[in-house]
Amino acid sequence: MLYALIGEDAPGTHEKRMEVRAEHLARLQALQADGRLILAGPCPAVDSPDPGPAGFTGSVIVAEFSSLDEAQAWADADPYTTTGVFVRCTVKPFKKVFPQ
């Protein structure tokens, strides 16, 4: 089943986000290599694809996991969570409708 992982950045964590970004991306690349990643990306803090020093307010990931518990465990082990970049990460079942 697909799950949406919605991480919300804690204030003032842009520098920490950049420090652990490579570890975070490696985990996403592993999901992609397994054919389980549907989409992933950050949410800019301003209306621009490159927010510069304004940074990001969080991230959205949609990926396939065997259960809600597995998706939550993956989110809990992500470097953005373990280092405090995310103040919270909500994990919800997700039903893809479009594109088909």
Side-chain angles (χ1 to χ4, degrees):
M1 174 145 190
L2 296 180
Y3 295 88
L5 290 67
I6 306 155
E8 297 176 47
D9 286 17
T13 57
H14 182 69
E15 187 174 308
K16 177 58 74 176
R17 177 185 260 272
M18 294 298 104
E19 288 173 15
V20 299
R21 183 172 185 261
E23 297 170 54
H24 170 74
L25 293 179
R27 297 181 84 237
L28 291 171
Q29 289 165 341
L31 284 177
Q32 184 176 24
D34 288 344
R36 297 168 46 200
L37 183 63
I38 305 303
L39 67 86
C43 302
V46 294
D47 192 11
S48 171
D50 181 4
F56 301 94
T57 60
S59 296
V60 175
I61 299 165
V62 177
E64 184 179 346
F65 294 94
S66 63
S67 67
L68 180 58
D69 287 342
E70 182 191 6
Q72 186 67 61
W74 191 95
D76 291 346
D78 189 79
Y80 284 177
T81 301
T82 62
T83 64
V85 172
F86 287 162
V87 67
R88 78 182 54 82
C89 187
T90 304
V91 179
K92 299 179 178 187
F94 181 81
K95 180 180 176 185
K96 181 180 173 198
V97 176
F98 290 103
Q100 295 180 359

